[in-house]
Amino acid sequence: MVTLNDVYIIGAGETKFGELWDKSLRELAVEAGLKAVEDAGVYTKDIDILYGSNTLGAGISYQNDIGSLISDFSGIAADHIPALRVEASTASGAAAIREAYLSIRSGEYNVAMIGGVEKLTDIYGSEILDKTSTLLDSEWEAFFGATPAAVAALTARKYMKDFNVSKEVLARISVNDHENASKNPDAQFRNRISVETALNSLPVAEPLNIMDCSPIGDGAAALLLASEEFVKKNKIDGVRIIASSIAQDFLALHSRESIYRLDSTVIAARKALEKAGIRNDQIGMVELHNSYSIYGLIALEDLGFAEKGKAKDLVEADIKLDGRIPVNPSGGLKAKGNPFGATGVGQAVEAYLQFKNRAGERQIKGLEYAMLHNMGGSGSTSIVHILGGA
Amino acid sequence: MGELSRIWRESDHRYRLVAHECGNCKRIFFPPRDVCPICHRDSIGKMREVELSGKGTISSFTVVHDSPRAFKRQRPYVLALIDLDEGPTITAQIVDTPLDQIEIGKRVHSVFRRIHEDGPGGIIQYGYKFAVDLS
Ligand SMILES: [Zn+2]
């Protein structure tokens, strides 16, 4: 019988998320990385491997080989520490966490560093949609004029009709994000918004308005993971990753079994809960992938917090910071921000801060388990992590 | 040339709505696939080309205001999911139809149209769009 190692998060750091005109891709990655290294109290010699996560660097910053880039400018290239980039569309961040987790869990390494980074503001206007639409099926969705927002809108229209859900319900997912982000200094938007503001914002792809859509922004987030052996030897009080799961679905929405059930999410969540050996109602916070408000709503169902069509019952009270299942205490993709490669890593940074009682005004008390949900595109990849436990 | 060969490769499927039928389970797939996702290896070498009728039903739609550059001049445009009568669901635009006639459940038929232009003076791409059957 092979023994698998327990894996802990021992340090976290992130840049502010937002339109960071004065910072380059590499500067962002290094800033977050150094914060995480300092937070963990480790040294370069302790790091066995580095996983960089990034989604559109080649298309926007004309930069590939982001693993080497981060290693180089973090000043560890001369130490010849292996460095790879992990890409899984907008789930790249969680994919990097999972690869780092597996590398330690298997016994190969003791300490892995994760650096998620995205620089989206180096291009302007509708050119950004040329790039983000490459995350769809380019031949059979984007070719015909589909954009990520349009695909989310197709899901939203049908869902709203079949389950009699109003736009106000969708808006409440974004309102909750803004409320929580007002308490997060790293968030892109720290302003509170009302349901009316959300409903009256400009249409992007009907029925979705601009306030249903996560913003374009830059940012980086970094983590250090370590084995139980390393944690014990160095007397570090880490946060344990008790489950990591991933599942896939068809790339294009039109090929899936349902257009408003995220099967990759359903399967990843179920497997994660099984591995963690806990029930869904033991989860004390969830960071979910609301790149569009509709995905936040249906993810609540597909992660198991509500029956299909019933997430509308949770949006008024349950999802709030002091509710039954706090959703996106960080401010989520809508208001903390969605710099793709950094998004999933940033979700783990938030959970880490919450467990360490370092989340300031948005601190959740008595947190036992946290669930993280990072999704690629319209649901082609879903990755679920569960953190916590003794 | 790379761009041209990419367009040429898919043109038959886009011009005539040519799908693939699995010789094992008889399910029809559009866009065409070389392997049936139900039958897996039992379908290898058994995927046959079939032409679709172009008739179907709107299962969802959106009015797109924010578009990539190649679609800028068409804004706002209607993008839909169409459940084709032969089984597959596809993503396509709806044209030649007043907005108030576009609803989930409406019957549509395919029309051959210019899809977009790759920049000023760029390659013009053609393919299917759909129109609501007006009685
Ligand atoms: Zn078959």
Side-chain angles (χ1 to χ4, degrees):
Chain A
M1 177 90 186
V2 180
T3 21
L4 297 172
N5 293 329
D6 281 341
V7 182
Y8 294 80
I9 301 176
I10 60 164
E14 66 187 6
T15 67
K16 189 178 159 50
F17 286 6
E19 296 183 349
L20 310 171
W21 310 105
D22 57 332
K23 286 180 182 155
S24 69
L25 183 77
R26 66 187 70 186
E27 286 171 319
L28 289 167
V30 171
E31 182 184 329
L34 294 181
K35 280 182 182 168
V37 165
E38 202 158 283
D39 186 45
V42 297
Y43 295 90
T44 303
K45 64 170 175 55
D46 299 319
I47 300 171
D48 296 315
I49 189 162
L50 176 119
Y51 290 96
S53 66
N54 173 264
T55 306
L56 291 175
I60 292 177
S61 307
Y62 303 99
Q63 181 67 59
N64 264 317
D65 200 3
I66 282 164
S68 300
L69 178 82
I70 299 175
S71 154
D72 189 345
F73 288 86
S74 304
I76 60 175
D79 300 273
H80 308 294
I81 294 162
L84 300 170
R85 168 215 183 158
V86 180
E87 191 273 319
S89 181
T90 47
S92 298
I97 297 174
R98 179 167 162 77
E99 291 306 311
Y101 165 85
L102 293 174
S103 77
I104 294 170
R105 191 146 173 77
S106 69
E108 179 77 4
Y109 296 126
N110 271 309
V111 178
M113 181 161 178
I114 299 150
V117 61
E118 204 73 44
K119 180 74 201 171
L120 297 176
T121 63
D122 271 351
I123 53 174
Y124 308 99
S126 49
E127 201 183 339
I128 190 72
L129 280 172
D130 295 4
K131 305 295 183 189
T132 56
S133 295
T134 64
L135 300 171
L136 305 173
D137 182 331
S138 65
E139 299 281 5
W140 303 104
E141 291 184 305
F143 179 88
F144 297 96
T147 61
V151 170
L154 292 171
T155 291
R157 169 105 50 192
K158 180 80 167 127
Y159 177 86
M160 289 163 71
K161 180 170 192 281
D162 286 4
F163 299 105
N164 193 25
V165 169
S166 67
K167 279 180 75 167
E168 187 183 318
V169 170
L170 268 65
R172 285 191 187 277
I173 295 285
S174 300
V175 169
N176 179 63
D177 264 20
H178 275 259
E179 176 63 34
N180 294 346
S182 73
K183 303 177 173 73
N184 184 353
D186 291 336
Q188 179 159 358
F189 296 120
R190 302 196 60 195
N191 61 314
R192 292 183 174 86
I193 59 164
S194 65
V195 169
E196 291 68 38
T197 309
L199 292 177
N200 293 323
S201 62
L202 287 172
V204 173
E206 296 175 43
L208 302 181
N209 296 348
I210 202 159
M211 284 299 172
D212 290 298
C213 306
S214 59
I216 293 297
D218 311 322
L223 295 171
L224 278 140
L225 305 193
S227 65
E228 187 175 14
E229 184 192 322
F230 185 90
V231 166
K232 279 188 174 153
K233 201 172 87 188
N234 295 285
K235 299 183 174 58
I236 299 168
D237 184 21
V239 173
R240 189 152 82 96
I241 300 178
I242 56 172
S244 171
S245 283
I246 178 168
Q248 226 69 34
D249 204 344
F250 292 93
L251 173 59
L253 179 68
H254 56 226
S255 295
R256 303 210 189 119
E257 196 174 295
S258 163
I259 66 164
Y260 48 59
R261 192 187 61 236
L262 304 159
D263 282 344
S264 60
T265 295
V266 171
I267 293 164
R270 195 178 61 215
K271 281 189 191 165
L273 287 165
E274 271 171 27
K275 286 181 195 173
I278 63 165
R279 293 182 321 272
N280 183 285
D281 61 14
Q282 292 174 273
I283 304 283
M285 67 163 266
V286 57
E287 284 279 321
L288 53 74
H289 194 97
N290 60 325
S291 46
Y292 299 94
S293 57
I294 180 66
Y295 294 150
L297 203 62
I298 62 176
L300 274 172
E301 297 165 359
D302 299 334
L303 291 168
F305 297 104
E307 306 255 297
K308 186 49 66 187
K310 297 283 174 60
K312 61 184 171 189
D313 300 338
L314 305 182
V315 299
E316 273 185 60
D318 297 57
I319 64 171
K320 291 183 177 171
L321 267 186
D322 57 359
R324 186 172 64 82
I325 174 64
V327 169
N328 294 352
S330 71
L333 277 63
K334 171 65 191 79
K336 182 189 180 188
N338 184 18
F340 304 148
T343 299
V345 184
Q347 292 177 324
V349 171
E350 175 67 16
Y352 178 79
L353 294 176
Q354 291 283 354
F355 278 112
K356 303 293 278 183
N357 280 307
R358 285 163 50 189
E361 280 183 86
R362 60 186 196 285
Q363 183 63 49
I364 295 164
K365 290 186 184 70
L367 183 62
E368 218 181 329
Y369 298 102
M371 181 184 262
L372 311 177
H373 167 248
N374 195 194
M375 193 168 86
S378 61
S380 56
T381 304
S382 289
I383 301 172
V384 173
H385 284 102
I386 299 175
L387 273 50
Chain B
M1 196 57 219
E3 179 70 0
L4 281 173
S5 58
R6 188 171 68 87
I7 295 161
W8 170 81
R9 230 175 18 239
E10 302 299 354
S11 60
D12 209 32
H13 305 113
R14 286 185 187 136
Y15 290 5
R16 296 191 295 119
L17 274 169
V18 174
H20 272 173
E21 184 188 51
C22 170
N24 197 51
C25 72
K26 309 295 175 198
R27 281 184 181 82
I28 293 176
F29 297 98
F30 191 92
R33 297 171 173 274
D34 294 329
V35 180
C36 170
I38 312 293
C39 304
H40 308 293
R41 63 179 303 149
D42 292 338
S43 69
I44 296 171
K46 293 181 188 162
M47 303 300 281
R48 287 190 302 259
E49 290 202 333
V50 286
E51 206 164 325
L52 301 175
S53 64
K55 292 182 167 46
T57 308
I58 298 174
S59 69
S60 192
F61 70 97
T62 173
V63 182
V64 181
H65 295 264
D66 216 2
S67 81
R69 289 179 298 177
F71 292 89
K72 244 178 156 173
R73 277 191 277 170
Q74 301 178 38
R75 286 181 303 176
Y77 55 90
V78 177
L79 189 81
L81 288 173
I82 315 285
D83 292 338
L84 296 170
D85 288 354
E86 292 86 353
T89 300
I90 67 172
T91 303
Q93 285 189 33
I94 295 182
V95 291
D96 304 347
T97 309
L99 204 51
D100 61 8
Q101 292 295 310
I102 301 174
E103 281 171 38
I104 292 174
K106 280 275 176 90
R107 294 286 298 163
V108 293
H109 59 275
S110 65
V111 293
F112 186 67
R113 288 287 186 279
R114 172 192 294 215
I115 302 293
H116 61 76
E117 203 172 303
D118 282 351
I123 306 158
I124 296 169
Q125 312 225 40
Y126 293 90
Y128 50 80
K129 293 188 180 181
F130 286 77
V132 169
D133 298 350
L134 299 170
S135 44

